[in-house]
Amino acid sequence: MPKPSDRHHFRFHLPFAHLASVFGDDWFALKAEAFARFFGTPTFLMSQTLLVIVWIAINVSGATHFDVYPFILLNLAFSLQAAYAAPLILLAQTRQADRDKAQTEADAMHREALAQASEQRELFASQQNAQLLVLVQQNTELTTITKALSERIEQLTREIHGKFIATEPAPAAMADHTAAPAAPATAAPSSALGL
């Protein structure tokens, strides 16, 4: 009998559970994954674009001069962001590829298990069909035997009935026997002795 864990529909994914989180399962890993995922969102792109426009506008308008043209500090910020973002994104892509491969392997194992189960069901169904055919054949034979026995019983019943009616005296003969007195039982032996 299969264990309950063998019947679970995610049983093929359990060997690859360690790949579920991109960077692991601790708090840093969760934050790093969220950060890497945030890089590709429209919110990040719009926020970064708005920040760059405000940064340049403030420095060009003369409101402040902390990063004048050619915007070295802004360039440094982009370089720092790229230095952290690129490895995180590449790591996320690598782990995602590992997860996709594991998912594909788990799906292949699942399809194989389904094919085996289907083959077993087909074999069981064919065995049941063969048994049903045998039972139907036996039932047909029993029906034929029952019909033959019923016909034989009917024939014997007619024969017994015919013999019973043939040995019964006719009603007129029965009336004659009742009208004539029976001879005494002692008279026959005395006449036989010659007295």
Side-chain angles (χ1 to χ4, degrees):
M1 170 131 181
K3 297 181 286 188
S5 62
D6 292 342
R7 291 183 303 217
H8 194 273
H9 62 281
F10 286 124
R11 67 185 178 275
F12 302 105
H13 298 274
L14 291 178
F16 310 107
H18 66 282
L19 298 173
S21 177
V22 177
F23 301 103
D25 292 327
D26 58 349
W27 69 270
F28 177 77
L30 296 176
K31 296 297 180 187
E33 184 174 0
F35 186 65
R37 289 185 186 279
F38 180 68
F39 277 143
T41 62
T43 304
F44 173 76
L45 294 174
M46 296 302 284
S47 303
Q48 184 173 352
T49 303
L50 183 64
L51 179 69
V52 168
I53 289 171
V54 169
W55 184 291
I56 292 174
I58 289 175
N59 283 293
V60 168
S61 68
T64 185
H65 295 288
F66 68 88
D67 189 22
V68 292
Y69 182 81
F71 311 112
I72 301 296
L73 191 58
L74 181 61
N75 191 12
L76 181 64
F78 278 138
S79 297
L80 184 64
Q81 175 191 349
Y84 280 101
L88 289 176
I89 291 171
L90 288 174
L91 181 60
Q93 287 176 340
T94 303
R95 292 294 296 271
Q96 185 61 44
D98 290 343
R99 279 190 298 222
D100 291 342
K101 182 180 177 184
Q103 183 78 21
T104 302
E105 289 176 7
D107 289 343
M109 289 189 296
H110 184 75
R111 282 192 302 272
E112 184 177 326
L114 288 176
Q116 288 176 351
S118 176
E119 184 178 320
Q120 288 175 352
R121 280 193 302 271
E122 287 176 8
L123 178 64
F124 182 68
S126 67
Q127 289 173 348
Q128 281 188 327
N129 286 341
Q131 288 175 347
L132 284 174
L133 287 174
V134 168
L135 289 174
V136 167
Q137 184 180 6
Q138 289 174 349
N139 188 22
T140 304
E141 291 172 3
L142 288 175
T143 303
T144 305
I145 292 170
T146 303
K147 182 179 177 186
L149 289 174
S150 296
E151 291 173 356
R152 180 69 178 144
I153 289 171
E154 185 179 343
Q155 179 186 3
L156 290 173
T157 303
R158 273 190 259 128
E159 287 177 11
I160 291 172
H161 186 66
K163 287 182 181 180
F164 181 69
I165 290 181
T167 58
E168 272 188 14
M174 287 182 75
D176 290 341
H177 286 297
T178 56
T186 58
S190 62
S191 60
L193 293 173
L195 298 172

